[in-house]
PDB file of all heavy atoms in Angstrom:
ATOM      1  N   MET A  90     101.402 -30.467  -6.075  1.00 38.00           N
ATOM      2  CA  MET A  90     102.669 -30.482  -5.371  1.00 38.00           C
ATOM      3  C   MET A  90     102.901 -29.181  -4.607  1.00 38.00           C
ATOM      4  O   MET A  90     102.988 -29.159  -3.402  1.00 38.00           O
ATOM      5  CB  MET A  90     103.832 -30.677  -6.379  1.00 38.00           C
ATOM      6  CG  MET A  90     103.984 -32.121  -6.842  1.00 38.00           C
ATOM      7  SD  MET A  90     104.430 -33.221  -5.481  1.00 38.00           S
ATOM      8  CE  MET A  90     104.424 -34.790  -6.328  1.00 38.00           C
ATOM      9  N   SER A  91     102.977 -28.055  -5.308  1.00 36.00           N
ATOM     10  CA  SER A  91     103.263 -26.799  -4.636  1.00 36.00           C
ATOM     11  C   SER A  91     102.061 -25.860  -4.674  1.00 36.00           C
ATOM     12  O   SER A  91     102.181 -24.682  -4.916  1.00 36.00           O
ATOM     13  CB  SER A  91     104.468 -26.128  -5.301  1.00 36.00           C
ATOM     14  OG  SER A  91     104.170 -25.853  -6.645  1.00 36.00           O
ATOM     15  N   ALA A  92     100.859 -26.419  -4.458  1.00 39.00           N
ATOM     16  CA  ALA A  92      99.656 -25.581  -4.437  1.00 39.00           C
ATOM     17  C   ALA A  92      99.784 -24.553  -3.320  1.00 39.00           C
ATOM     18  O   ALA A  92     100.290 -24.854  -2.235  1.00 39.00           O
ATOM     19  CB  ALA A  92      98.413 -26.438  -4.237  1.00 39.00           C
ATOM     20  N   GLN A 100     104.210 -34.951   8.275  1.00 55.00           N
ATOM     21  CA  GLN A 100     105.010 -35.044   7.062  1.00 55.00           C
ATOM     22  C   GLN A 100     104.162 -34.855   5.802  1.00 55.00           C
ATOM     23  O   GLN A 100     104.620 -34.323   4.808  1.00 55.00           O
ATOM     24  CB  GLN A 100     105.668 -36.433   6.961  1.00 55.00           C
ATOM     25  CG  GLN A 100     106.426 -36.850   8.205  1.00 55.00           C
ATOM     26  CD  GLN A 100     107.858 -36.342   8.174  1.00 55.00           C
ATOM     27  OE1 GLN A 100     108.156 -35.339   7.530  1.00 55.00           O
ATOM     28  NE2 GLN A 100     108.748 -37.033   8.882  1.00 55.00           N
ATOM     29  N   GLY A 107      87.957 -27.730  -1.554  1.00 97.00           N
ATOM     30  CA  GLY A 107      88.007 -26.972  -2.797  1.00 97.00           C
ATOM     31  C   GLY A 107      89.245 -27.298  -3.615  1.00 97.00           C
ATOM     32  O   GLY A 107      89.205 -27.303  -4.850  1.00 97.00           O
ATOM     33  N   ARG A 121      81.160 -34.265  -1.281  1.00 97.00           N
ATOM     34  CA  ARG A 121      80.334 -34.429  -0.079  1.00 97.00           C
ATOM     35  C   ARG A 121      79.322 -35.556  -0.257  1.00 97.00           C
ATOM     36  O   ARG A 121      79.041 -36.310   0.666  1.00 97.00           O
ATOM     37  CB  ARG A 121      79.599 -33.119   0.233  1.00 97.00           C
ATOM     38  CG  ARG A 121      80.527 -32.025   0.726  1.00 97.00           C
ATOM     39  CD  ARG A 121      79.768 -30.857   1.330  1.00 97.00           C
ATOM     40  NE  ARG A 121      80.632 -29.682   1.453  1.00 97.00           N
ATOM     41  CZ  ARG A 121      80.648 -28.680   0.586  1.00 97.00           C
ATOM     42  NH1 ARG A 121      79.826 -28.680  -0.456  1.00 97.00           N
ATOM     43  NH2 ARG A 121      81.471 -27.670   0.747  1.00 97.00           N
ATOM     44  N   GLU A 124      80.972 -38.858   0.149  1.00 97.00           N
ATOM     45  CA  GLU A 124      81.210 -39.100   1.577  1.00 97.00           C
ATOM     46  C   GLU A 124      79.937 -39.609   2.243  1.00 97.00           C
ATOM     47  O   GLU A 124      79.947 -40.582   2.996  1.00 97.00           O
ATOM     48  CB  GLU A 124      81.683 -37.812   2.255  1.00 97.00           C
ATOM     49  CG  GLU A 124      81.914 -37.986   3.753  1.00 97.00           C
ATOM     50  CD  GLU A 124      82.372 -36.685   4.399  1.00 97.00           C
ATOM     51  OE1 GLU A 124      82.555 -35.690   3.649  1.00 97.00           O
ATOM     52  OE2 GLU A 124      82.525 -36.652   5.633  1.00 97.00           O
ATOM     53  N   MET A 126      77.558 -41.166   0.889  1.00 96.00           N
ATOM     54  CA  MET A 126      77.294 -42.518   0.406  1.00 96.00           C
ATOM     55  C   MET A 126      78.322 -43.519   0.948  1.00 96.00           C
ATOM     56  O   MET A 126      78.243 -44.708   0.663  1.00 96.00           O
ATOM     57  CB  MET A 126      77.333 -42.553  -1.124  1.00 96.00           C
ATOM     58  CG  MET A 126      76.235 -41.760  -1.802  1.00 96.00           C
ATOM     59  SD  MET A 126      74.566 -42.380  -1.447  1.00 96.00           S
ATOM     60  CE  MET A 126      73.997 -41.159  -0.249  1.00 96.00           C
ATOM     61  N   THR A 130      85.756 -41.096   2.331  1.00 95.00           N
ATOM     62  CA  THR A 130      85.765 -40.415   3.628  1.00 95.00           C
ATOM     63  C   THR A 130      87.036 -39.607   3.788  1.00 95.00           C
ATOM     64  O   THR A 130      88.126 -40.153   3.612  1.00 95.00           O
ATOM     65  CB  THR A 130      85.688 -41.461   4.754  1.00 95.00           C
ATOM     66  OG1 THR A 130      84.647 -42.387   4.455  1.00 95.00           O
ATOM     67  CG2 THR A 130      85.409 -40.790   6.084  1.00 95.00           C
ATOM     68  N   ALA A 145      95.971 -40.008  -0.497  1.00 94.00           N
ATOM     69  CA  ALA A 145      95.293 -41.285  -0.742  1.00 94.00           C
ATOM     70  C   ALA A 145      93.861 -41.051  -1.199  1.00 94.00           C
ATOM     71  O   ALA A 145      93.357 -41.744  -2.089  1.00 94.00           O
ATOM     72  CB  ALA A 145      95.310 -42.124   0.542  1.00 94.00           C
ATOM     73  N   GLY A 161      81.106 -46.351 -17.109  1.00 94.00           N
ATOM     74  CA  GLY A 161      79.675 -46.163 -16.891  1.00 94.00           C
ATOM     75  C   GLY A 161      79.145 -46.863 -15.653  1.00 94.00           C
ATOM     76  O   GLY A 161      77.960 -47.201 -15.588  1.00 94.00           O
ATOM     77  N   VAL A 167      80.664 -49.158  -8.383  1.00 97.00           N
ATOM     78  CA  VAL A 167      81.955 -48.618  -7.949  1.00 97.00           C
ATOM     79  C   VAL A 167      82.282 -49.133  -6.550  1.00 97.00           C
ATOM     80  O   VAL A 167      83.404 -49.546  -6.263  1.00 97.00           O
ATOM     81  CB  VAL A 167      81.932 -47.076  -7.944  1.00 97.00           C
ATOM     82  CG1 VAL A 167      83.155 -46.524  -7.232  1.00 97.00           C
ATOM     83  CG2 VAL A 167      81.867 -46.535  -9.367  1.00 97.00           C
ATOM     84  N   ARG A 193      95.228 -65.609   3.239  1.00 81.00           N
ATOM     85  CA  ARG A 193      95.809 -64.592   2.374  1.00 81.00           C
ATOM     86  C   ARG A 193      95.701 -65.001   0.905  1.00 81.00           C
ATOM     87  O   ARG A 193      95.378 -64.192   0.037  1.00 81.00           O
ATOM     88  CB  ARG A 193      97.281 -64.370   2.734  1.00 81.00           C
ATOM     89  CG  ARG A 193      97.450 -63.667   4.068  1.00 81.00           C
ATOM     90  CD  ARG A 193      98.752 -62.923   4.125  1.00 81.00           C
ATOM     91  NE  ARG A 193      99.888 -63.829   3.979  1.00 81.00           N
ATOM     92  CZ  ARG A 193     100.937 -63.843   4.797  1.00 81.00           C
ATOM     93  NH1 ARG A 193     100.980 -63.003   5.808  1.00 81.00           N
ATOM     94  NH2 ARG A 193     101.920 -64.656   4.601  1.00 81.00           N
ATOM     95  N   ILE A 201      92.231 -61.236  -7.706  1.00 92.00           N
ATOM     96  CA  ILE A 201      92.549 -61.560  -9.106  1.00 92.00           C
ATOM     97  C   ILE A 201      91.272 -61.657  -9.932  1.00 92.00           C
ATOM     98  O   ILE A 201      91.174 -61.105 -11.031  1.00 92.00           O
ATOM     99  CB  ILE A 201      93.342 -62.894  -9.184  1.00 92.00           C
ATOM    100  CG1 ILE A 201      94.772 -62.682  -8.674  1.00 92.00           C
ATOM    101  CG2 ILE A 201      93.366 -63.427 -10.604  1.00 92.00           C
ATOM    102  CD1 ILE A 201      95.626 -63.931  -8.645  1.00 92.00           C
ATOM    103  N   ASP A 213      86.336 -54.837 -23.454  1.00 94.00           N
ATOM    104  CA  ASP A 213      85.082 -54.695 -24.199  1.00 94.00           C
ATOM    105  C   ASP A 213      84.879 -53.254 -24.648  1.00 94.00           C
ATOM    106  O   ASP A 213      84.654 -52.992 -25.839  1.00 94.00           O
ATOM    107  CB  ASP A 213      83.889 -55.120 -23.329  1.00 94.00           C
ATOM    108  CG  ASP A 213      83.766 -56.621 -23.230  1.00 94.00           C
ATOM    109  OD1 ASP A 213      84.584 -57.321 -23.864  1.00 94.00           O
ATOM    110  OD2 ASP A 213      82.859 -57.094 -22.525  1.00 94.00           O
ATOM    111  N   GLU A 224      84.593 -46.097 -37.608  1.00 94.00           N
ATOM    112  CA  GLU A 224      83.449 -45.580 -38.373  1.00 94.00           C
ATOM    113  C   GLU A 224      83.615 -44.096 -38.664  1.00 94.00           C
ATOM    114  O   GLU A 224      83.451 -43.643 -39.797  1.00 94.00           O
ATOM    115  CB  GLU A 224      82.175 -45.716 -37.529  1.00 94.00           C
ATOM    116  CG  GLU A 224      81.256 -46.857 -37.872  1.00 94.00           C
ATOM    117  CD  GLU A 224      80.028 -46.803 -36.963  1.00 94.00           C
ATOM    118  OE1 GLU A 224      79.351 -45.744 -36.956  1.00 94.00           O
ATOM    119  OE2 GLU A 224      79.764 -47.788 -36.253  1.00 94.00           O
ATOM    120  N   ARG A 247      75.979 -34.370 -60.477  1.00 49.00           N
ATOM    121  CA  ARG A 247      76.279 -35.775 -60.742  1.00 49.00           C
ATOM    122  C   ARG A 247      74.997 -36.608 -60.760  1.00 49.00           C
ATOM    123  O   ARG A 247      74.012 -36.275 -60.156  1.00 49.00           O
ATOM    124  CB  ARG A 247      77.223 -36.303 -59.682  1.00 49.00           C
ATOM    125  CG  ARG A 247      78.522 -35.538 -59.743  1.00 49.00           C
ATOM    126  CD  ARG A 247      79.525 -36.011 -58.728  1.00 49.00           C
ATOM    127  NE  ARG A 247      80.631 -35.067 -58.730  1.00 49.00           N
ATOM    128  CZ  ARG A 247      81.502 -34.994 -59.720  1.00 49.00           C
ATOM    129  NH1 ARG A 247      81.411 -35.808 -60.768  1.00 49.00           N
ATOM    130  NH2 ARG A 247      82.463 -34.110 -59.693  1.00 49.00           N
TER     131      ARG A 247
END
Side-chain angles (χ1 to χ4, degrees):
Chain A
M90 282 296 177
S91 61
Q100 308 273 26
R121 290 193 196 99
E124 178 180 357
M126 294 297 104
T130 312
V167 168
R193 289 206 299 230
I201 287 177
D213 283 358
E224 258 182 56
R247 298 181 189 288

